[in-house]
Amino acid sequence: MHVAPVGGTAVQDHVALAEIELCGELIIAASAAHEDRLSLESIDEVLKVAEARAEAKASGG
């Protein structure tokens, strides 16, 4: 039987952590929404799509 060391060798997947954070933000927004579903515009707002596009455009992407 192999047991992990006590000191910890945790691997952090930054992409996975970011996705989990975004999912959490969507869950919070959905629970606070008055309508049955979030609109596409609301989802884009929560995920900050416009900001990401502006950053990509500014950096030449």
Side-chain angles (χ1 to χ4, degrees):
M1 181 169 114
H2 179 68
V3 178
V6 176
T9 57
V11 176
Q12 289 189 358
D13 184 339
H14 297 287
V15 174
L17 292 173
E19 289 178 358
I20 292 167
E21 185 176 338
L22 291 173
C23 287
E25 294 294 327
L26 285 171
I27 291 168
I28 292 168
S31 67
H34 298 291
E35 59 271 1
D36 288 340
R37 297 178 184 213
L38 289 176
S39 67
L40 294 177
E41 293 81 15
S42 295
I43 293 171
D44 285 351
E45 185 178 329
V46 170
L47 298 180
K48 300 177 182 168
V49 172
E51 293 174 21
R53 286 183 181 155
E55 285 179 18
K57 191 174 186 178
S59 67

